[in-house]
Amino acid sequence: MARAIIKKANEADERRPFLAHGEATVLNLGALTIGRGYFEPGWQWSKDVKPIAGTESCEVVHTLSVLSGRLHIQMRDGQELDLEPGDVAFVPAGHDAWVVGDEPCRVVDFTGAEEYAQARTGKQEPEQPSLQ
């Protein structure tokens, strides 16, 4: 039988600082991983996370809720989104994003936290059996 889990949102299991302008934190709740993003004014994925991820655009799928601040998202296909407090959004892989204005943006991400703001690892080659 599954057991109930409770954690304080500000006591993350993992902290992933960006190169500048904020951080992502991760909370593990059994099989569910939730991320919290804190994006300071001036934050942009392509400047602050791209060097960490090593990809041309953000390749993480997000299902997020904006708690404060404003975020602009530009998809690889040209679609653009403006998110503000109270918005809930699904953002597919293949985007850039940045904070709009002078207020920090805080989000809760329900689908992208496992991979966000860390190096992307490609498919690993299968281990070769020993010839001994």
Side-chain angles (χ1 to χ4, degrees):
M1 177 188 313
R3 296 189 47 89
I5 301 170
I6 187 169
K7 291 188 174 184
K8 300 290 184 199
N10 61 350
E11 296 175 4
D13 294 309
E14 185 179 351
R15 180 178 169 269
R16 299 179 190 158
F18 305 139
L19 290 183
H21 305 108
E23 67 179 7
T25 57
V26 177
L27 292 156
N28 296 306
L29 297 171
L32 180 64
T33 303
I34 297 174
R36 293 174 23 133
Y38 176 69
F39 310 102
E40 297 170 351
W43 176 87
Q44 184 170 359
W45 185 91
S46 56
K47 295 176 184 172
D48 294 306
V49 183
K50 177 180 177 176
I52 297 167
T55 57
E56 279 304 306
S57 61
C58 181
E59 297 302 326
V60 173
V61 175
H62 304 281
T63 306
L64 55 87
S65 177
V66 180
L67 305 177
S68 64
R70 289 177 165 54
L71 196 62
H72 183 83
I73 298 172
Q74 184 172 20
M75 301 300 300
R76 192 171 27 229
D77 68 3
Q79 180 186 18
E80 297 192 35
L81 310 164
D82 287 303
L83 304 177
E84 59 186 35
D87 286 347
V88 177
F90 171 77
V91 182
H95 58 272
D96 192 5
W98 54 89
V99 170
V100 176
D102 295 330
E103 181 182 355
C105 181
R106 294 177 188 269
V107 304
V108 175
D109 189 354
F110 298 97
T111 58
E114 291 176 359
E115 300 177 14
Y116 188 72
Q118 56 186 2
R120 284 287 272 204
T121 55
K123 293 182 180 177
Q124 295 181 350
E125 294 295 318
E127 197 171 301
Q128 298 297 318
S130 173
L131 297 177
Q132 295 178 353

